[in-house]
């Protein structure tokens, strides 16, 4: 939940670079999708529980199409993958 909320530029927990480079962040369904995908990955790996590694591994494919970048991000060549990767290094999951 913390990771998904941090993608929203108007959320108080969003880092400064998100406020500058993200026009629209991930919604509640993104969080649900991330949890569901994490459960599926855990089961495929023989576990009955989701780990932070599952969430980190799935963050790009689940969130990449749920963010809209600003003109500044596009002009600088910053992609949604770049933003999510940076968020994963900043947000403690």
């Amino acid at each position: 939940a913390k990771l998904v909320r941090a993608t929203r530029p108007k959320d108080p927990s969003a880092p400064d670079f998100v406020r500058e480079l993200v026009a629209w962040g991930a919604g509640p369904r993104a969080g649900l999708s991330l949890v569901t995908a994490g459960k599926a990955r855990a089961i495929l790996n023989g576990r009955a529980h989701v780990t932070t590694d599952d969430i980190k591994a799935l963050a790009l494919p689940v969130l990449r199409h749920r963010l809209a970048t600003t003109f500044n991000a596009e002009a600088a060549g910053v992609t949604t993958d770049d933003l999510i990767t940076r968020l994963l290094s900043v947000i403690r999951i």
Side-chain angles (χ1 to χ4, degrees), residues 10-82:
K10 293 183 181 180
D11 192 282
S13 68
D16 290 337
F17 71 90
V18 169
R19 294 168 203 246
E20 178 186 344
L21 302 173
V22 176
W24 189 259
R29 285 186 298 156
L32 293 173
S33 296
L34 196 54
V35 169
T36 302
K39 288 178 181 182
R41 186 174 191 266
I43 291 296
L44 288 171
N45 288 317
R47 289 180 279 109
H49 63 282
V50 178
T51 66
T52 56
D53 288 337
D54 293 324
I55 300 302
K56 289 176 183 178
L58 296 164
L60 285 174
V62 171
L63 298 176
R64 77 169 40 113
H65 68 282
R66 297 174 187 271
L67 303 181
T69 56
T70 63
F71 176 78
N72 291 341
E74 290 179 31
V78 177
T79 66
T80 55
D81 282 7
D82 297 331

